[in-house]
Amino acid sequence: MEKPDLAARADIEQMVDAFYAKVRIDPLLGGIFNGAVQDRWPEHLKKMYRFWETVLLGKHSYAGRPFRPHRDLPVGEAHFNRWKGLFIETVDHYFAGDKAEEAKRRAELMAGLFRSKIEFFRNQGSKAIQ
């Protein structure tokens, strides 16, 4: 059976829900995400729907500064590698096509950028640039 591409909000919701279901129980990531999000998972998931809908489908439903909530998380390279692995695994399980490939590329780019910025803040101790 051929897999669909990411083409609609329902696809984004399926991807986000499946991905975060894995993250929440992951031995490396679960404690960090559950600690940061706490009881606000429905709100967080809705924000992630809007974020990925904007990034992949051009719907412009997300407005925010995605890095700020991640800046002080206790994460390093292993966490980002695991996050990327789960994301790619989720996309590949449900979807195939140009948008699915774009989702994986965007996730790789964002993970690299966030990791770099987190390391910068740790090394500089600066709170000025956000």
Side-chain angles (χ1 to χ4, degrees):
M1 180 176 183
E2 191 171 315
K3 296 175 191 174
D5 202 356
L6 286 158
R9 170 70 178 242
D11 300 327
I12 298 293
E13 291 180 11
Q14 181 182 17
M15 177 189 74
V16 167
D17 288 345
F19 170 66
Y20 281 105
K22 292 177 183 183
V23 166
R24 291 175 77 173
I25 62 169
D26 185 77
L28 184 61
L29 301 177
I32 293 167
F33 274 84
N34 289 315
V37 177
Q38 298 177 354
D39 63 348
R40 298 180 315 274
W41 276 102
E43 175 187 330
H44 181 70
L45 293 173
K46 287 177 186 173
K47 187 182 293 185
M48 293 300 94
Y49 302 154
R50 291 189 310 271
F51 175 81
W52 285 106
E53 183 179 49
T54 297
V55 168
L56 295 174
L57 304 181
K59 298 290 185 183
H60 305 292
S61 56
Y62 175 84
R65 298 167 67 179
F67 174 70
R68 177 60 191 101
H70 301 84
R71 187 178 75 187
D72 298 319
L73 291 177
V75 294
E77 186 171 354
H79 299 93
F80 281 101
N81 288 339
R82 183 68 181 145
W83 182 91
K84 289 186 299 186
L86 290 175
F87 189 88
I88 290 167
E89 175 184 294
T90 302
V91 172
D92 284 344
H93 180 78
Y94 292 100
F95 303 100
D98 291 342
K99 289 293 180 185
E101 291 304 313
E102 182 180 351
K104 295 184 293 185
R105 279 192 307 276
R106 297 281 190 122
E108 291 265 0
L109 291 171
M110 282 184 275
L113 177 62
F114 279 27
R115 185 172 50 87
S116 175
K117 288 178 80 169
I118 287 170
E119 288 174 10
F120 171 80
F121 280 104
R122 283 190 190 143
N123 293 335
Q124 299 300 314
S126 172
K127 301 288 184 187
I129 300 173
Q130 294 184 26

